[in-house]
Amino acid sequence: MHITGINYTAVAVAAIASFIFGGIWYGLLSKQWMAAANLDEKFAKGSGTGPSPVPFAVAFVALLVMAWMLAGVFLHLSRGGVPMTMRSGLISGALIWAGFVMTSLVVNHAFQGAKRTLTLIDGGHWLGVLLVQSAVLILMSG
């Protein structure tokens, strides 16, 4: 479905794919992430029934918004008559990460006194998210 030029199916698929990527990323780096964030096993177990679903729901909604905004950026970039390619989409996603996401993360973590490892793990996650979303949006726009 296309409304105002944005493929909302692609936005949903991009959000789902990046959510799955995040699960894999933090699944592989869970011990390192918890150590860097100064968290222990009690955090992972939550209230004894596992982690709260609320952060996962918030994360998914945020990923939907991110994919929607990224699709809007791609739409505006292609309005000059030059279609977005996989290369230009991935470069755009990486530049958005470097210029907006990583800079914000570095500042927040610096003021929080977070370990550099936490910044690298979280920053790598957001780079992966933007690259996955970029790829899905480009693949589904054709």
Side-chain angles (χ1 to χ4, degrees):
M1 170 190 299
H2 292 275
I3 301 172
T4 66
I6 292 178
N7 180 340
Y8 287 97
T9 302
V11 167
V13 172
I16 292 165
S18 60
F19 188 81
I20 292 168
F21 167 79
I24 294 167
W25 180 264
Y26 284 108
L28 292 172
L29 298 172
S30 61
K31 289 186 185 344
Q32 296 91 331
W33 179 79
M34 287 197 316
N38 293 320
L39 299 171
D40 57 20
E41 289 296 321
K42 287 187 259 180
F43 170 81
K45 292 183 177 156
S47 60
T49 60
S52 169
V54 174
F56 295 98
V58 169
F60 186 73
V61 170
L63 290 169
L64 274 172
V65 172
M66 183 179 278
W68 180 34
M69 293 299 106
L70 189 58
V73 168
F74 287 177
L75 179 65
H76 285 285
L77 288 173
S78 66
R79 288 282 162 113
V82 178
M84 291 293 289
T85 64
M86 184 61 71
R87 182 177 186 271
S88 64
L90 293 174
I91 289 170
S92 296
L95 291 174
I96 289 167
W97 170 80
F100 296 100
V101 176
M102 198 60 188
T103 54
S104 300
L105 191 61
V106 166
V107 170
N108 286 350
H109 282 185
F111 277 101
Q112 294 166 3
K115 295 176 184 172
R116 181 173 289 151
T117 304
L118 182 64
T119 304
L120 293 173
I121 292 170
D122 288 345
H125 164 256
W126 289 114
L127 175 60
V129 163
L130 280 161
L131 294 178
V132 166
Q133 288 190 356
S134 296
V136 169
L137 292 170
I138 297 301
L139 285 171
M140 293 185 70
S141 68

